[in-house]
Amino acid sequence: KNNVIDFSESGSKQLDRVKIYSLNGDEVVIIEGPVFEWRGLDSKGKKVPSGVYIYQIEEKEKLITGTILVLR
């Protein structure tokens, strides 16, 4: 069972922040270093419901976007 997504394992050494959004475009949480992990919680510390979420990894010179599937 995997409860943590570690964005620092992406290989980037220039991470600034990671933003997680719902598919509706609502901001769920902003993760700022030095640890770039998401445990499926929103900015208030509540578990997010099952669904698809969009992440944006902000680096010094680029933006990486992808999706995360959360199953509860």
Side-chain angles (χ1 to χ4, degrees):
K1 192 172 181 179
N2 187 356
N3 296 323
V4 178
I5 298 171
D6 186 354
F7 290 98
S8 59
E9 290 183 1
S10 68
S12 173
K13 294 180 175 72
Q14 299 181 340
L15 281 176
D16 287 331
R17 70 179 54 96
V18 177
K19 294 181 180 179
I20 309 289
Y21 296 92
S22 69
L23 282 181
N24 296 331
D26 297 324
E27 190 176 271
V28 175
V29 70
I30 297 175
I31 305 164
E32 295 183 302
V35 177
F36 292 94
E37 294 180 344
W38 187 48
R39 298 182 179 277
L41 305 176
D42 65 16
S43 60
K44 296 177 182 172
K46 295 182 181 179
K47 287 184 179 180
V48 299
S50 295
V52 178
Y53 293 85
I54 299 166
Y55 67 83
Q56 287 185 333
I57 300 174
E58 295 181 13
E59 296 183 352
K60 298 286 183 212
E61 306 256 338
K62 65 181 176 179
L63 183 67
I64 301 168
T65 304
T67 57
I68 300 168
L69 176 61
V70 175
L71 297 174
R72 300 261 181 224

